[in-house]
Amino acid sequence: MSILALYNNLNTFLYLAALLFGMGVYGLVTRRTLIGMLISAELILAAASINFMAFNRFTAPDPTVGQIFTLFIMAIAAAEAAIGLSIVLAVYRNYKSIDTEDLVELQG
Amino acid sequence: MNPSMAITEAPGLFTADGLTGLIFLIIMAATLIGGIIACCAERLVRAVAGLMVCFVGVAALYYFLNSPFVAMMQMLIYVGAVCITIAFAIMLAAPEESKKNGPAGPLSGPLGFITAGIITFGLIVMALRTQFPILPKVNKGTTKEIGIQLLTQYSMVFELISIVLLIAIIGALVLARAGRSK
């Protein structure tokens, strides 16, 4: 298969989504601030959406279902970002920091 | 083995298919580079910029997957709203000042890289080994058909999205206002 025909192949999109998912997981475990972790979570959601859209284009009988589900993921991600960032702001107001190491009040 | 659509022979670079493939390669590279910046950049502002590049690339990928409507929504919601919200939060919370050194946790550093690598490798092997059946299409998935489906068969999804967004707006207002009255 030629490298220029990659866009017509389901596996290309699956590999791309897997790589994005891996980056998201890596960022999620390495970041030390809450906002950095939220950015990585957005990467994971984008990877999931790419998977849905790829299967929707290449294998699903009804191509509207995957698009509607992707729209649902987008709405959930927007809600998650809004709630998460307001929690971050509330945490920052109380602790003057958004570093995950400073939020250990419940640690025994 | 796995579904690849019409093209079987290699297209020349300066045909329509070849140029489409070249643009796809550029977009794929932009998406991956944006993702790497988003997860590895030292400063959070740069990470948000990388996330923006990555989301623009993902929107272009949706365009390649025959869904211009979802591509537009990706640009509007992710690039236009979510990234800007994160940028505002970075400016309000100013996380750059208290920078600590040393490992952030037991999984940071090489162990985190190995974790992510194992998950990525597992997903790629799974995609490589699985045979996905191709079913015949019952419609074309145009924007008009999305609209009809969204207001008839999937109207529950539509209502749920509205309620979730309403609750998110109210919750964000309540959470962000809480400490301000003091």
Side-chain angles (χ1 to χ4, degrees), chain B residues 15-80:
Chain B
T15 60
D17 287 333
L19 283 180
T20 314
L22 188 67
I23 292 171
F24 179 75
L25 289 181
I26 295 170
I27 285 165
M28 208 164 66
T31 310
L32 287 177
I33 290 170
I36 290 171
I37 295 173
C39 75
C40 299
E42 195 76 8
R43 287 170 167 271
L44 281 180
V45 177
R46 287 180 193 159
V48 173
L51 190 72
M52 239 178 231
V53 172
C54 178
F55 280 160
V56 172
V58 171
L61 290 182
Y62 289 164
Y63 211 87
F64 271 92
L65 290 170
N66 285 348
S67 329
F69 177 65
V70 183
M72 290 302 142
M73 285 299 118
Q74 171 88 11
M75 291 295 284
L76 277 178
I77 296 176
Y78 273 115
V79 184

Side-chain angles (χ1 to χ4, degrees), chain A residues 15 31 49 60-61 63 67 92 102, chain B residues 41 62 93 100 128 138-139 146:
Chain A
Y15 299 157
R31 286 281 183 197
S49 303
Q67 300 188 39
Y92 179 72
D102 295 336
Chain B
Y62 289 164
K100 291 177 184 164
L128 200 63
V138 295
N139 60 35
I146 296 173

Side-chain angles (χ1 to χ4, degrees), chain A residues 5-41:
Chain A
L6 276 180
Y7 69 94
N8 253 325
N9 194 343
L10 171 62
N11 274 355
T12 314
F13 291 94
L14 295 187
Y15 299 157
L16 196 68
L19 285 172
L20 275 185
F21 189 89
M23 288 172 198
V25 170
Y26 176 69
L28 203 59
V29 297
T30 29
R31 286 281 183 197
R32 41 194 315 135
T33 57
L34 292 174
I35 294 181
M37 294 167 86
L38 202 75
I39 290 173
S40 307

